[in-house]
Amino acid sequence: TPSVEEGATHGHMSTRNLPTVLVAVDTPSVEEARALVERLRGAGVGYKIGLEFFSANGIAGVQRVLDGAPDTPFFLDLKFHDIPNTVAGAIRAVSAARPAIVNVHAAGGEAMMRAAVSAAREGALAVGAEPPLVIAVTILTSMDDADLVAVGQQPPVVEQVVRLAKLAQACGLDGVVCSAKELPAIRAACGNAFVTIVPGIRSTGGEIGDQKRVVTPAQAIADGATFLVIGRPITQAPDAKQAAIDIVASITR
């Protein structure tokens, strides 16, 4: 199983033992999510649990999905964006689920991001867990230059991504969610120890779906991605476990 070589910054959970591939749990159904985790047992992957599932099922639902595999690492992808005290409270609350990775919107600003880092440590301490990696969302991967203009931000996307990544790093966060196409610029600005989580990963020839900036798993790893979030190429494959194993193999050659 490929996993990240370097430890993360700021004393948070080491990336060393976390799997490179995080499978997107894109369902509101606890039963479907449990079945997916069961099908993929032994494939050497972690999971990304997002807003749809969490809104439907909460922490209890997350725990039910993983109770058959309690040591399975997961990224709780809720993208908190609110005033600092509210974000801190939310991160402390989700610490009960023991996520390996949590995230916030970098656009929430410095005070909010610093509050998130402190809360992640406090929440983990309260439940006897290692603090999760705290990751910033820069620009949603569904957005392109025209979308930035429409919301009053300055394109090109890559410059805004780098601006927000540098701010997140200065605030003590462990890394960012980004497109693979922004990886070289982020690596140049933030160094090799900064964690990068890349969604929008599709197998060669796969559907682009609703994310506009996409690459293959091998390309993303070659560009310096730390973690890959992969959904449909695994979850909608005729044999999900084999698809996961094949993707893991494709990035370790």
Side-chain angles (χ1 to χ4, degrees), residues 112-140:
M112 188 208 77
M113 285 193 280
R114 290 188 185 279
V117 171
S118 296
R121 291 179 179 145
E122 293 163 11
L125 187 63
V127 298
E130 280 189 87
L133 300 175
V134 182
I135 302 294
V137 175
T138 56
I139 301 298
L140 295 172

Side-chain angles (χ1 to χ4, degrees), residues 147-154:
D147 296 317
L148 279 193
V149 172
V151 297
Q153 295 188 35
Q154 183 71 36

Side-chain angles (χ1 to χ4, degrees), residues 106-107 137-139 145 148 151-167 182 186:
V137 175
T138 56
I139 301 298
D145 286 355
L148 279 193
V151 297
Q153 295 188 35
Q154 183 71 36
V157 165
V158 65
E159 291 186 8
Q160 182 69 355
V161 166
V162 168
R163 183 180 301 118
L164 291 171
K166 289 169 72 175
L167 178 63
E182 285 96 52
I186 289 172

Side-chain angles (χ1 to χ4, degrees), residues 49 54 58-64 66 70 72-74 76 78 91-100 102 123 127 129:
I49 296 175
F54 196 83
I59 289 172
V62 173
Q63 291 169 330
R64 284 176 59 204
L66 298 174
T72 302
F74 68 97
L76 192 57
L78 302 181
I91 287 183
R92 282 193 296 268
V94 300
S95 296
R98 298 172 179 250
V102 296
V127 298

Side-chain angles (χ1 to χ4, degrees), residues 12 17 20 32 39 44 46 50 78-79 91 107 115-116 129 152 164-165 202 216 226 228 242 246-249:
H12 284 198
N17 298 319
T20 303
E32 286 180 18
R39 280 201 305 278
L78 302 181
K79 302 182 181 71
I91 287 183
L164 291 171
R202 299 284 180 265
T216 64
T226 314
L228 308 179
Q242 190 58 52
D246 289 347
I247 287 171
V248 168

